[in-house]
Amino acid sequence: MATAAAGVAASLTALNGRDFLSSADFSAEETAALLELASQLKSGERRIDLGNRVLGLIFTKASTRTRVSFSVAMTRLGGQTVDLNPSVTQLGRGEPLQDTARVLSRYCDALAIRTFAQQELVDYAHWSTVPVINALTDLEHPCQALADFLTMREVHGDLAGQTLAYVGDGNNVAHSLMLCGALLGVNVRIGCPDGFEPLPGILDQARSLAQHGAAVEVMSDPVEAVRGAQAVYTDVWASMGQEQEQQEREQAFAAFCLDQELMAHAASDAIVLHCLPAHRGEEITAEVMEGASSRIFDQAENRLHAQQALLAAVLGGL
């Protein structure tokens, strides 16, 4: 037991000063250690005080859960957040990113960035001298994936060998679920219509990272995707920036609504997950979202605990 605890501590210490741009940035051991720390912070078994550290939030995209959970996480760690919305900073008036990143590195201890292009995040990390965290891009949503697998772990225990089925668009959430799930030994099945698959490069990367023989699969039959799964997950059909495609996507995804009929093919103790916001009657029915199997609001809460663990680790508070 002492050896295991020492291994977790070493993995967390190794994250000090690191960026978190992708679920693939941390090793399998480091990812598992973060979930263990998040669980300890949530239960009150452990408390961490970072002192007066500052997290800068640069959010180009709208946000509820990510913004609030990062802010509360820093407060619980004894720090604070600064809202650096581009509409009220010089970023919105064309100041070069490399100038902003270097200046903010002298004011803030870490930056959480929510934007469209992954390359913008990479550029911030290049010019910044403090940790940069992906708070969502069009390519990935790695902080969400940490909360998702923390939720599965709470309900079903050891993650290795479990199966998560995601039905819907092969988007940023699907990408991070594939990568993070593979590292944790979770079988990840992505069920999506033809033409809406995850990027092939991300699929190949997830398969190369897979631990404990985990399988990462993409299929066009939603029933086969959810069959026997311990968790069934969905997301909106049109993400931010795709609103003009809403009608087209509603037609393409009509067979992928997460309803009771589809859930009947999952494991008897399967849980329902959704990263929110949800459109009841589109990607998920109200009956399933509010049903006994739903862990959607536990999952939303776990954004706080997962990100508190992440911030504690990258800011060297362990």
Side-chain angles (χ1 to χ4, degrees), residues 46 173 194 216:
R46 188 164 183 185
V173 171
D194 293 336
V216 182

Side-chain angles (χ1 to χ4, degrees), residues 60-78:
T60 304
K61 286 188 171 187
S63 171
T64 298
R65 279 150 293 279
T66 304
R67 182 186 298 277
V68 176
S69 57
F70 266 119
S71 297
V72 176
M74 277 301 287
T75 299
R76 290 192 176 187
L77 291 168

Side-chain angles (χ1 to χ4, degrees), residues 15 54 57 94 119 132 152-153 198 226 257 308 311:
L15 297 179
V54 178
L57 301 179
Q119 186 58 48
V132 173
M152 284 186 69
R153 184 179 184 265
V226 307
C257 176
Q308 189 177 351
L311 289 166

Side-chain angles (χ1 to χ4, degrees), residues 196-248:
F196 295 91
E197 297 89 352
L199 292 175
I202 299 290
L203 176 60
D204 291 342
Q205 185 181 21
R207 287 172 171 166
S208 72
L209 294 172
Q211 304 291 309
H212 307 291
V216 182
E217 304 172 276
V218 177
M219 54 196 68
S220 58
D221 184 344
V223 171
E224 287 306 308
V226 307
R227 194 178 301 281
Q230 280 73 48
V232 184
Y233 196 127
T234 192
D235 189 11
V236 295
W237 292 339
S239 298
M240 283 178 281
Q242 298 174 331
E243 290 82 2
Q244 72 281 4
E245 304 172 21
Q246 181 67 32
Q247 187 172 357
E248 171 195 347

